[in-house]
């Protein structure tokens, strides 16, 4: 018997359809949109492509079929995501954030919340519906959310507060980086908002999750300008006595907002990893074509030189390694109820950092000409640089989650090899969050 790495007929069809969309619908708008100085306008320029992706079943493919979603497996999601990410990982991030914003509703919401919000997400006749994920907060002293699970109460950790007042929660504070500004800085249609519902408890007990809806009074948005993922929406969000219905509190996330964050970024880990694969794949194919068609002043193309061949051969090998690790992590998610807090983090960390190096190696092969904007490597490098530091930063929560699990005296170091379920609990959080 063998372990099967071959895609099924259905998966190849999915790959072909998403590749066709990416090359024929998405690619023609990317260069101009990425070059647009105003980041909000650049994001808006991708809207027609997004609407096509919505009607094609791509934008909400990860949501459960019970509520009208595509119900694709995590493996299928990764296969599809690679084809979009080769063209633009920022656009892919817009689609991913539908999952980051709405999968917590599927995991932790009531039946009524699932019916209301997930069905709305999959049945928008305009095709403009966006989900949002609102967790990160601005830097400062004290501020920021890399140590969101620190066991100390405010002001450490998450600072956005939600205080119950009758039938509402009154929310005050700021978020920074979330994918929640929407097409017009009035917010996405709906998404998950991480809040501190108990300021007397630390981040492993005092956090919860609310569903934040578009045009909530007291919430303002400002689109951020970035060097990479320019076509993904990220924003500064200010809450001033914003009132969110208590009915929007996810019951399974009460006091467990920390676990929502960890599970969400484990679920998205293989997607971030495959985005890095997409960047490296694009760089490799461009560098290989360059090496076969340029002499650099020699008599024959530089592909004939050992150094060029060795470097490109190494890059090709690393891309294959990274792709299969991403498939493996996604497969683990599928087998274990979309929990992969250890494997998802390992995959995201190692692949995004390895692929960044591959993109730069390809630039070295092309040489100084890789710096010219028209050759496309600058955008690839900018995009690849984003992946290790976003989506739960590698040097923040991703490595901390791995550390917390493997430090557990009961951890089985052969668990992943043997495909065992590795449970992640509150006892694995907050390791190393208090300096000194």
């Amino acid at each position: 018997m063998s372990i099967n790495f071959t895609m099924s007929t259905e998966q190849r069809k999915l790959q072909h359809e998403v590749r066709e969309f990416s090359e024929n619908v998405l690619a023609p708008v990317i260069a101009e949109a990425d070059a647009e100085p105003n980041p909000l306008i650049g994001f808006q320029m991708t809207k027609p492509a997004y609407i096509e992706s919505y009607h094609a079943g791509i934008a909400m493919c990860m949501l459960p079929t019970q509520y009208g979603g595509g119900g694709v497996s995590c493996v299928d999601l990764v296969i599809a995501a690679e084809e979009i990410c080769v063209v633009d990982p920022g656009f892919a991030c817009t689609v991913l954030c539908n999952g980051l914003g709405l999968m917590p509703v599927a995991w932790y919401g009531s039946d009524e919340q699932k019916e209301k919000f997930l069905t709305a997400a999959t049945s928008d006749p305009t095709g403009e519906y966006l989900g949002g994920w609102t967790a990160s907060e601005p830097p400062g002293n004290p501020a920021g959310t890399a140590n969101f699970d620190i066991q100390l109460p405010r002001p450490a950790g998450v600072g956005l507060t939600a205080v119950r007042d009758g039938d509402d929660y009154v929310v005050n504070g700021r978020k920074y980086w979330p994918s929640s500004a929407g097409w017009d800085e009035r917010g996405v249609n709906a998404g998950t908002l991480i809040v501190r519902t108990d300021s007397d408890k630390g981040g492993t007990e005092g956090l919860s999750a609310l569903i934040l809806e578009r045009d909530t009074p007291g919430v303002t948005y400002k689109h951020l300008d970035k060097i990479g993922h320019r076509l993904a929406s990220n924003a500064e969000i200010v809450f001033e006595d914003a009132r969110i219905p208590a009915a929007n509190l996810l019951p399974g996330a009460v006091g467990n907002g920390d676990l929502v964050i960890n599970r969400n970024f484990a679920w998205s880990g293989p997607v971030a990893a495959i985005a890095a694969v997409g960047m490296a794949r694009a760089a490799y194919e461009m560098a290989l074509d360059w090496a076969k068609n340029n002499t650099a002043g020699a008599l024959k193309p530089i592909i004939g030189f050992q150094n060029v061949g060795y470097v490109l051969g190494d890059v090709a090998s690393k891309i294959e390694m990274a792709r299969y690790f991403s498939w493996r992590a996604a497969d683990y998610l599928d087998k274990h109820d979309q929990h992969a807090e250890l494997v998802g983090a390992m995959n995201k960390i190692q692949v995004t950092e390895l692929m960044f190096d591959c993109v730069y190696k390809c630039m070295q092969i092309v040489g100084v000409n890789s710096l010219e904007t028209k050759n496309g490597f600058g955008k690839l490098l900018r995009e690849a640089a984003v992946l290790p530091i976003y989506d739960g930063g590698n040097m923040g929560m991703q490595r901390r989650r791995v550390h917390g699990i493997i430090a557990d005296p009961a951890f089985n170091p052969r668990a992943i090899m043997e495909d065992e379920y590795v449970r992640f609990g509150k006892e694995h959080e907050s390791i190393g969050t208090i300096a000194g």
Side-chain angles (χ1 to χ4, degrees):
M1 295 179 66
S2 64
I3 299 174
N4 191 355
F5 288 92
T6 305
M7 286 188 288
S8 67
T9 301
E10 292 77 13
Q11 287 171 328
R12 289 194 179 279
K13 181 174 182 291
L14 173 67
Q15 182 188 51
H16 173 78
E17 290 174 349
V18 177
R19 181 180 295 170
E20 190 172 66
F21 162 81
S22 300
E23 293 177 350
N24 298 327
V25 178
L26 181 60
V29 308
I30 293 303
E32 184 179 357
D34 180 72
E36 166 57 48
N38 185 314
L40 178 58
I41 293 175
F43 175 59
Q44 292 169 341
M45 291 169 69
T46 69
K47 188 175 180 179
Y50 178 83
I51 292 173
E52 284 209 37
S53 78
Y54 184 96
H55 290 307
I58 296 171
M60 299 296 172
C61 67
M62 73 293 291
L63 298 184
T65 55
Q66 179 181 353
Y67 302 101
V72 300
S73 69
C74 293
V75 171
D76 289 350
L77 179 61
V78 164
I79 290 171
E82 180 179 343
E83 299 307 316
I84 297 176
C85 292
V86 168
V87 174
D88 188 74
F91 182 89
C93 193
T94 301
V95 175
L96 172 64
C97 286
N98 287 332
L100 285 170
L102 297 170
M103 287 305 293
V105 179
W107 294 330
Y108 301 103
S110 66
D111 290 341
E112 293 77 13
Q113 288 171 335
K114 294 175 189 178
E115 185 65 39
K116 177 182 178 180
F117 293 105
L118 300 184
T119 301
T122 61
S123 60
D124 178 13
T126 70
E128 299 177 8
Y129 196 103
L130 290 173
W133 170 233
T134 310
S136 299
E137 298 190 353
N141 186 22
T145 39
N147 295 310
F148 68 92
D149 55 356
I150 190 170
Q151 294 183 358
L152 301 177
R154 285 193 74 209
V158 172
L160 188 75
T161 59
V163 179
R164 183 70 181 260
D165 180 31
D167 292 333
D168 296 325
Y169 278 95
V170 179
V171 182
N172 282 284
R174 297 166 66 207
K175 292 290 187 182
Y176 212 83
W177 291 112
S179 59
S180 305
W183 299 113
D184 51 9
E185 293 185 322
R186 290 167 53 194
V188 296
N189 297 81
T192 300
L193 170 69
I194 301 298
V195 297
R196 187 184 286 273
T197 46
D198 190 337
S199 293
D200 295 326
K201 294 181 179 178
T204 59
E205 300 177 87
L207 307 183
S208 300
L210 293 165
I211 301 172
L212 175 63
E213 298 180 76
R214 176 174 168 80
D215 284 333
T216 295
V219 185
T220 55
Y221 301 84
K222 181 182 178 182
H223 209 85
L224 299 181
D225 196 4
K226 314 184 297 291
I227 64 167
H229 279 42
R230 290 184 58 78
L231 304 185
S233 169
N234 297 95
E236 177 185 18
I237 310 176
V238 178
F239 297 80
E240 295 180 299
D241 291 329
R243 301 187 77 90
I244 298 177
N248 285 18
L249 180 70
L250 296 180
V254 176
N256 292 318
D258 51 316
L259 297 181
V260 177
I261 295 173
N262 276 302
R263 187 178 186 183
N264 228 5
F265 282 133
W267 174 82
S268 68
V271 184
I274 209 69
V277 171
M279 289 295 90
R281 172 181 140 191
Y284 164 68
E285 291 176 357
M286 289 162 57
L288 181 62
D289 180 72
W290 179 276
K292 289 181 176 180
N293 290 285
N294 288 274
T295 67
L299 297 180
K300 292 184 178 181
I302 61 173
I303 189 64
F305 288 94
Q306 285 181 325
N307 183 58
V308 173
Y310 290 1
V311 169
L312 290 177
D314 287 347
V315 166
S317 300
K318 290 172 181 176
I319 290 171
E320 293 301 309
M321 291 162 52
R323 178 180 293 112
Y324 299 142
F325 190 12
S326 301
W327 286 7
R328 165 63 173 138
D331 178 66
Y332 189 92
L333 280 162
D334 286 328
K335 290 176 177 175
H336 299 293
D337 191 31
Q338 296 181 329
H339 277 285
E341 283 84 349
L342 177 61
V343 183
M346 287 178 165
N347 176 228
K348 198 263 182 179
I349 294 163
Q350 300 304 324
V351 170
T352 58
E353 294 178 10
L354 182 65
M355 294 297 97
F356 178 79
D357 181 63
C358 285
V359 171
Y360 186 65
K361 285 290 193 296
C362 290
M363 293 181 67
Q364 288 181 304
I365 294 300
V366 176
V368 70
N369 292 289
S370 68
L371 303 180
E372 193 171 4
T373 302
K374 71 174 185 179
N375 289 327
F377 285 96
K379 183 178 186 300
L380 295 179
L381 189 67
R382 287 190 286 113
E383 305 292 10
V386 173
L387 299 165
I389 56 179
Y390 93 139
D391 206 44
N394 291 2
M395 287 298 180
M397 64 165 297
Q398 297 285 5
R399 279 187 164 89
R400 185 165 72 252
R401 186 162 62 242
V402 174
H403 183 193
I405 293 173
I406 67 173
D408 187 333
F411 172 66
N412 173 14
R414 299 180 184 176
I416 303 305
M417 179 183 74
E418 296 169 358
D419 210 20
E420 292 180 4
Y421 172 57
V422 178
R423 189 188 70 84
F424 181 84
K426 289 180 181 288
E427 70 272 21
H428 300 125
E429 294 184 308
S430 71
I431 188 169
T433 56
I434 301 176

